[in-house]
Amino acid sequence: MIKFIKVDELLHVRNEVLREGRLNLDECRFPSDNNEGNFHLGYFVNDELACIASFHPQSYGEFKGTGYQLRGMATIEKYRGQGFGNQLVNFALVYLRGQKADYLWCNARKKAVRFYNSLGFEIVSPEFEVPGIGPHHVMYVKIR
């Protein structure tokens, strides 16, 4: 089941998956977490949070219209490969279409490029390094 959640509910997943448990939970907050128009989604298996993603209004480069950035997409290891991330992003795309967003973009880890490609995203930047995290590409998908 997909639900809109508060940032405090997802910090433990961000830390476990995206930071390998190295940080305290407050260090897993993004500056954009409480921006106007921001929302967080969680995919629950029974009562366990299995997959998360955060979205906030943010344009990218020269793209026209209303853009949203996807940040902090993460799935707990035991739930990977079951399509939960796919369902979460597709839910967000439908929701964002209703919010009149024109596109969604993200800084995708190199190892996640294939996942985002499968959802219709395309690479729109050269590879770049995020210090301490690894290689990334900016990826984009048109919503409307």
Side-chain angles (χ1 to χ4, degrees):
M1 171 187 285
I2 296 172
K3 297 180 189 177
F4 289 88
I5 59 176
K6 296 185 184 312
V7 69
D8 288 342
E9 296 176 76
L10 60 71
L11 293 175
H12 71 281
V13 177
R14 276 187 191 165
N15 189 39
E16 179 183 329
V17 177
L18 301 177
R19 300 296 185 257
E20 299 168 347
R22 297 176 300 192
L23 306 176
N24 73 51
L25 294 186
D26 280 333
E27 292 177 289
C28 295
R29 293 181 189 278
F30 299 147
S32 60
D33 275 339
N34 295 311
N35 286 0
E36 183 75 27
N38 195 13
F39 64 97
H40 310 279
L41 295 175
Y43 190 106
F44 289 82
V45 176
N46 299 316
D47 289 330
E48 185 178 6
L49 186 55
C51 181
I52 60 167
S54 298
F55 304 83
H56 70 276
Q58 178 70 50
S59 59
Y60 176 76
E62 301 298 317
F63 289 102
K64 303 284 186 229
T66 301
Y68 270 75
Q69 183 180 10
L70 160 60
R71 292 197 69 187
M73 178 94 199
T75 303
I76 298 291
E77 188 171 353
K78 72 179 180 179
Y79 293 116
R80 290 185 192 147
Q82 298 180 44
F84 299 149
N86 184 302
Q87 291 178 56
L88 199 72
V89 172
N90 279 310
F91 179 95
L93 290 170
V94 170
Y95 177 77
L96 288 168
R97 189 173 294 116
Q99 300 301 304
K100 308 292 188 223
D102 295 294
Y103 63 92
L104 177 64
W105 67 278
C106 65
N107 291 323
R109 292 176 188 229
K110 188 173 182 177
K111 65 183 181 181
V113 165
R114 193 164 30 146
F115 167 76
Y116 288 110
N117 276 144
S118 75
L119 291 164
F121 283 73
E122 60 186 88
I123 293 173
V124 294
S125 79
E127 185 176 300
F128 61 95
E129 188 77 18
V130 175
I133 298 175
H136 285 65
H137 285 282
V138 174
M139 298 189 75
Y140 154 99
V141 65
K142 184 176 178 152
I143 297 173
R144 55 181 210 108

